[in-house]
Structure formats: structure tokens, C-alpha cells
Amino acid sequence: MSVTKFERTKNLTERIKEGSETKETLGNYLRAMQEIREFEESVFELLGRNKIEGASHLYALEEAIAVGAISAIGPDDVIASTHRGHGHCGARGVFYAGDNEQKRQHMRWRLMVQFFHIFSAFHRRESRGGPS
């Protein structure tokens, strides 16, 4: 049995210099992971306050999985998820919203994230005795 020796992975600066990645693409990866995390944190908080009901299998700390999977497929490829698929949905929109209409459609994901933030902030304030 032989063991494969792994070489050092190139860092992001090296990848940008050689042209295998762009700053824009890497920024999209980071933005997608952040949007997924913010959504998950809001869902977790609202579930804990019993403001939303139902089962939710949170995707927190798994954001890079969705972003990596979506970045490896093309815009015409189809994916299906049976468990924790909402991270994939958010990441897919970041990468494949090509024209203005598609970007508008993906804005629904961002609006959902923003709604959860506003809803969470309102209920935090309300629980501290602020105006309702």
C-alpha cells in the first residue's frame, strides 16, 4: 500500500496571480458563505424564541460545502438536496445570476436574509421592553 504525498496548496494570492481565480470570484465565495451564515443565525434565534415553528436542520458551519459544490457545477447542471439544501440555494444564486432578471430573482434570497435580521432585531428589542 502506498501513501499519496500531498503538495502544498497554493494560497489565494498565488491563484490570483496565475489566473486560476479572480478577486471577484473569491469575493463571491465569501459573500455567499456570509449570507448563508447570517440566514442560519437568524433562523436559530427565531426558533429559540418560538417566533417561527417547525423543524429546521441548520446549515451553520457548513457554508463552504454549499459554496464549493455550487462553484464546481455549471449553470445548466441540476442539483437536488434532501437535507439542509437551503445553503445550496443561496450559493447557486450568487454564482449563476447572470442578467438583471436573474439577479432580481436571487434578491429574494437576500430579502429573506434581511427579513430574518429585521424580525430578529424587532423581537430582541421587544423582549427588552422596547416599543412593540
Side-chain angles (χ1 to χ4, degrees):
M1 173 185 269
S2 65
V3 177
T4 303
K5 181 180 176 185
F6 292 98
E7 294 182 25
R8 180 183 71 85
T9 303
K10 294 178 182 175
N11 67 37
L12 297 179
T13 303
E14 291 169 331
R15 290 174 182 257
I16 291 169
K17 284 180 182 176
E18 73 180 11
S20 63
E21 299 286 353
T22 66
K23 286 183 181 182
E24 180 183 10
T25 299
L26 296 173
N28 284 341
Y29 294 163
L30 184 60
R31 186 177 75 241
M33 288 186 279
Q34 183 64 35
E35 287 177 359
I36 294 166
R37 173 68 61 90
E38 289 172 0
F39 176 77
E40 294 300 315
E41 288 173 349
S42 296
V43 169
F44 179 75
E45 182 177 336
L46 293 172
L47 283 168
R49 295 176 176 276
N50 294 318
K51 299 298 180 183
I52 58 175
E53 297 179 6
S56 179
H57 298 267
L58 298 176
Y59 204 73
L61 303 177
E62 299 177 19
E63 299 87 353
I65 296 168
V67 172
I70 297 303
S71 69
I73 65 174
D76 295 329
D77 292 327
V78 176
I79 65 165
S81 180
T82 59
H83 190 64
R84 295 183 177 141
H86 46 283
H88 294 85
C89 295
R92 185 160 181 101
V94 169
F95 293 110
Y96 297 115
D99 60 23
N100 286 336
E101 176 59 22
Q102 292 172 340
K103 288 177 184 174
R104 189 184 68 72
Q105 291 291 328
H106 183 59
M107 286 302 293
R108 291 179 183 164
W109 166 261
R110 291 201 181 135
L111 289 172
M112 186 170 59
V113 171
Q114 290 171 354
F115 167 77
F116 273 104
H117 280 296
I118 293 167
F119 195 71
S120 296
F122 173 78
H123 285 287
R124 275 193 304 270
R125 186 179 70 200
E126 188 178 72
S127 68
R128 291 187 207 129
S132 52

